[in-house]
């Protein structure tokens, strides 16, 4: 990267001032919705309520929160997904309809009137959206189906493109752990250009999903520092001295490195002052345009003009929703607030797991994404680790075992989840076998959980999963052991990330966890025992939705900063402490050593086979 960077003209207007609200492509259609209401819901009164919307891999969800950060009610609506090998695709039209259904259902369930909603924000997976000049979807699929205009975050079609980009050793790669993942946007963009030239020529805007949602809601094409910095190689620290409200509103997209896009064969994205990928970038929570447009308000059942905050990636919204969720008794003195904040790591545990920590100074950590300036908490550097398959891996291990159907029927008859039943089976096995502690059941079974590659800290998308210690046993007990060993393998992966980050400048000693997997007591206890840190769970069950709602509260001027809103609305719940039994630590230390050796063995095997086929 040269010292020269071409910026767009000072006189160029913001895109949010140029473009009108895009039209909905299809009429609203009914869809199934699941609902959840907090016991703290209160009758509708003159109150301020904040709406958070989160689009995950399988559903769109909406949650309503009061001024104390309490969940009043939430709903979810499923979204369609197409999977074909490494290609995983979705539809932006389908997602918007799902959001509309979820928002209306949440408001109805929580007895919140549309006039009470004072601010809203979006969070979503870091998936890539393609639309034309009219806002209509442009296919990114081999099928040619125009509905399929989203390349989902987990899509790995662009592994070869990522390798080519990384081979150039561009300076921008320093700010994403030294290498781009095929889950990031530049490799996916290059794949589309090389494989779907007609689609490439039709696309007027390439957007991260959460940015598309906020644009769809407001007509303002301002992008988020979170999405552009974390997934597009935008250099957010170009704005280090532009952190007040006025600078945020008028922020030019001066962090694009034009040389990088030219080097990788995507120089056409520089055209029009980066119009296709973002000419204006703002801090999370910055109010967009004139708020919710009348068209979007009608579709969502809300009032036009509601402030909408600049978006976050879903995992980062989880970070905003939990990072200040520390018990009051554990709070540090005020003068060390920043130091205490920087000793925490947030785990957002769902289909995949993201590991996020912040620091006051930038830390370059090989194999870990970042340092990203202001990508989650403004004016802090973000370090982001991750495991590409965690919840998805547990589902895979369980569902592909011959004993799974019978076990699922038993769980259904007992009205508990399949994982709760597996936990009960493990407890019984521990007692029957007189094991010293539950984790010791897997002394002969070891799992390397890289079934979808290794995101961090090895950053090897070609890594494969390994399951050692199999027998001919096909019983439910054997399935329970494989499940436990997989949970442990995932936790060893998190320990590897924490140790790697601490070896490169972090001082992480506290874990805050959220997401669907934290509802599994065994999953959380194994993580606490293996990492050796207390794990704090949030008071509210939907911290990603809370993080999105916080964006709305900041956009509505309820709080002067995102961090102030986090301190006001985050709250701690249960704290899980690691076992004090030294035998448990000794056992996990030994298994962790084997865990690390499994990947080294895989590299050796890979080298032997490459030599044999040379």
């Amino acid at each position: 990267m040269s010292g020269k960077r071409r910026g767009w003209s000072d006189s160029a207007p913001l895109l949010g001032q140029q473009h009108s609200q895009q039209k909905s492509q299809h009429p609203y259609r009914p869809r199934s919705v699941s609902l959840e209401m907090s016991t703290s819901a209160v009758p509708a009164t003159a109150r301020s309520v904040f709406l958070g919307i989160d689009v995950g891999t399988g559903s769109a969800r909406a949650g309503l929160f009061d001024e104390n950060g309490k969940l009043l009610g939430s709903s979810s609506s499923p979204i369609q997904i197409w999977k074909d090998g490494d290609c995983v695709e979705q539809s932006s039209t389908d997602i918007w309809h799902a959001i509309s259904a979820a928002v209306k259902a949440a408001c109805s369930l929580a007895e919140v009137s549309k006039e009470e909603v004072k601010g809203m924000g979006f969070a979503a997976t870091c998936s890539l959206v393609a639309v034309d000049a009219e806002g209509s979807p442009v296919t990114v699929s081999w099928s040619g189906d125009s509905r399929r205009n989203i390349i989902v975050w987990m899509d790995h079609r662009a592994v070869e493109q990522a390798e080519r980009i990384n081979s150039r050793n561009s300076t921008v790669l320093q700010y994403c752990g030294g290498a781009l993942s095929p889950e990031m946007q530049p490799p996916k963009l290059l794949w589309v250009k090389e494989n779907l030239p007609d689609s490439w020529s039709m696309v007027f805007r390439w957007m991260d999903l959460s940015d598309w949602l906020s644009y769809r809601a407001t007509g303002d094409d301002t992008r988020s520092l979170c999405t552009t910095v974390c997934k597009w190689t935008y250099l957010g620290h170009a704005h280090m001295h532009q952190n007040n409200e006025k600078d945020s509103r008028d922020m030019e997209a001066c962090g694009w490195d034009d040389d990088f896009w030219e080097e990788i064969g995507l120089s056409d994205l520089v055209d029009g002052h980066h119009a296709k990928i973002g000419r204006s970038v703002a801090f999370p929570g910055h109010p967009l345009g004139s708020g919710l447009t009348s068209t979007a308000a009608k579709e969502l059942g809300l009032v036009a003009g509601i402030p909408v905050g600049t978006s976050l990636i879903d995992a980062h919204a989880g970070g905003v929703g939990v990072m200040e969720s520390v018990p009051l008794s554990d709070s540090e003195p005020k003068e060390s607030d920043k130091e205490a904040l920087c000793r925490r790591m947030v785990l957002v545990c769902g289909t995949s797991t993201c590991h996020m920590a912040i620091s006051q100074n930038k830390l370059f950590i090989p194999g870990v994404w970042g340092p990203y300036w202001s990508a989650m908490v403004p004016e802090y550097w973000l370090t982001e680790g991750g495991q590409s398959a965690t919840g998805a891996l547990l589902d895979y291990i369980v569902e592909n075992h011959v004993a799974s159907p019978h076990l699922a029927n038993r769980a259904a008859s007992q009205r508990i989840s399949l994982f709760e039943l597996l936990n009960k089976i493990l407890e019984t096995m521990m007692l029957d076998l007189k094991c010293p502690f539950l984790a010791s059941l897997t002394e002969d079974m070891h799992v390397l959980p890289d079934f979808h590659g290794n995101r961090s800290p090895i950053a090897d998308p070609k890594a494969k999963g390994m399951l050692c210690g199999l027998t001919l046993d096909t019983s439910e007990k054997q399935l329970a052991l494989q499940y436990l060993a997989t949970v442990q393998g995932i936790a060893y992966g998190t320990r590897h990330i924490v140790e790697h980050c601490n070896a490169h400048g972090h001082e992480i000693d506290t874990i805050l966890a959220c997401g669907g997997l934290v509802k599994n007591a065994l999953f959380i206890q194994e993580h606490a025992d293996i990492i050796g840190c207390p794990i704090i769970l949030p008071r509210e069950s939907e911290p990603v939705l809370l993080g999105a709602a916080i964006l709305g509260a900041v956009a509505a001027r309820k709080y002067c900063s995102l961090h102030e809103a986090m301190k006001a609305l985050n709250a701690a719940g249960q704290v899980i402490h690691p076992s004090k039994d030294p035998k448990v630590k000794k056992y996990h230390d030994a298994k962790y050593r084997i865990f690390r050796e499994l990947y080294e063995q895989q590299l050796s095997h890979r080298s032997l086979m490459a030599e044999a086929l040379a």
Side-chain angles (χ1 to χ4, degrees), residues 6 57 125 164 455 462 561:
R6 296 193 295 273
T57 306
T125 63
R164 275 192 278 135
R455 187 188 297 175
K462 293 184 176 180
S561 71

Side-chain angles (χ1 to χ4, degrees), residues 48-162:
S48 294
V49 175
F50 301 103
L51 169 64
I53 296 168
D54 167 42
V55 177
T57 306
S59 66
R61 304 181 303 138
L64 295 149
F65 297 84
D66 67 15
E67 294 178 274
N68 296 312
K70 291 284 289 182
L71 178 65
L72 303 176
S74 66
S75 69
S76 67
S77 185
I79 54 180
Q80 191 167 3
I81 190 166
W82 293 271
K83 294 182 180 180
D84 184 10
D86 286 333
C87 296
V88 188
E89 296 151 357
Q90 289 178 325
S91 161
S92 62
T93 302
D94 175 67
I95 285 172
W96 187 256
H97 288 316
I99 288 172
S100 298
V103 170
K104 291 173 182 176
C107 290
S108 175
L109 180 75
E111 298 181 355
V112 170
S113 69
K114 59 185 179 181
E115 290 79 13
E116 291 176 303
V117 179
K118 304 302 183 184
M120 59 186 291
F122 292 95
T125 63
C126 48
S127 300
L128 178 65
V129 183
V131 293
D132 65 17
E134 300 300 319
S136 299
V138 176
T139 184
V140 291
S141 172
W142 283 120
S143 70
D145 185 345
S146 63
R147 293 175 300 169
R148 295 158 69 164
N149 70 318
I150 297 177
I151 300 180
V152 179
W153 66 270
M154 66 170 66
D155 184 291
H156 271 208
R157 71 182 70 184
V159 169
E160 190 268 333
Q161 284 77 12

Side-chain angles (χ1 to χ4, degrees), residues 294-337:
S294 58
T295 300
K298 182 177 180 180
E299 293 165 339
L300 299 176
L302 299 172
V303 176
I306 293 172
V308 179
T310 306
S311 65
L312 285 164
I313 298 168
D314 54 354
H316 302 66
V320 167
V322 304
M323 185 159 265
E324 284 286 3
S325 298
V326 292
L328 293 177
S329 59
D330 293 344
S331 296
E332 299 291 329
K334 189 170 183 179
E335 61 270 17
S336 63
D337 272 355

Side-chain angles (χ1 to χ4, degrees), residues 343-370:
R343 292 201 303 271
R344 303 169 193 160
M345 174 175 277
V346 174
L347 306 187
V348 183
C349 313
T351 303
S352 62
T353 294
C354 290
H355 307 67
M356 290 173 291
I358 60 175
S359 58
Q360 297 181 73
N361 301 308
K362 58 184 175 183
L363 300 172
F364 293 97
I365 305 177
V368 177
W369 296 345

